[in-house]
Amino acid sequence: MTSSDLWTAEMAERYDEGSAFMFAPDVLDPAVDFLARLADDGPALELAVGTGRVAVPLLARGVQVTGIELSAPMVEQLHRKVPPDRLPVVVGDMATTVVPGEFSLVYLVWNSIGNLRTQDEQVACFRNAARHLAPGGRFVIEL
Ligand SMILES: C[S@@+](CC[C@H](N)C(=O)[O-])C[C@H]1O[C@@H](n2cnc3c(N)ncnc32)[C@H](O)[C@@H]1O
């Protein structure tokens, strides 16, 4: 695997504060509205869910969200906000990790595809997204 290994416990602790501009309502609310609309009452899967910047407010809109995330410290921060039974996350590589269920929406935001540093890994990630989609489901990637 050639994915980034920068997402340490220290980074995870400082992530929300250091990313405050991306938590600002004028940035986050339209993104969450857009994703909630596309989920269309179905469940959503966030690849590279991080500390839940998007997943937590999406859950608050009534969308059932599951995550895949490589960094256990990032997941620990997320689960300080919402318990694992409400927002389950599997620790693993978004290019290869499979979670149970079918999703009407799979999404990968804030340039996080860039954590996969080879074209092969990025193609595998698109395949993995497709693997999790219900018929008619959507994959959203923000770059
Ligand atoms: C810029 S943060 C985005 C987090 C969150 N989606 C957000 O919008 O705030 C990138 C995230 O990608 C995660 N990540 C890096 N490589 C990954 C991989 N191969 N599979 C899953 N997650 C990965 C990092 O640990 C980090 O949490």
Side-chain angles (χ1 to χ4, degrees):
M1 188 176 70
T2 59
S3 295
S4 165
D5 59 359
L6 295 173
W7 305 90
T8 60
E10 196 186 329
M11 284 276 298
E13 264 169 41
R14 292 197 312 237
Y15 180 82
D16 287 9
E17 197 183 329
S19 312
F21 64 103
M22 288 298 277
F23 284 81
D26 61 324
V27 173
L28 191 52
D29 291 354
V32 174
D33 286 345
F34 175 74
L35 294 170
R37 202 166 52 247
L38 288 186
D40 196 21
D41 292 332
L45 173 65
E46 180 168 353
L47 306 180
V49 66
T51 64
R53 182 181 67 89
V54 175
V56 170
L58 193 58
L59 179 70
R61 306 272 171 103
V63 178
Q64 191 190 316
V65 186
T66 297
I68 294 176
E69 166 59 49
L70 189 63
S71 162
M74 293 292 274
V75 178
E76 201 181 308
Q77 295 296 323
L78 186 159
H79 284 149
R80 287 185 183 176
K81 303 171 189 169
V82 177
D85 60 327
R86 290 197 58 220
L87 206 167
V89 179
V90 175
V91 174
D93 185 342
M94 60 188 161
T96 54
T97 301
V98 177
V99 302
E102 274 196 333
F103 300 87
S104 59
L105 173 70
V106 178
Y107 65 97
L108 174 57
V109 293
W110 199 2
N111 305 330
S112 299
I113 187 76
N115 286 288
L116 301 175
R117 295 183 179 164
T118 68
Q119 188 175 33
D120 284 350
E121 279 188 303
Q122 293 185 358
V123 169
C125 183
F126 273 69
R127 289 210 172 100
N128 200 30
R131 183 177 294 134
H132 287 90
L133 284 173
R138 276 111 168 206
F139 179 37
V140 171
I141 182 160
E142 179 191 40
L143 193 62

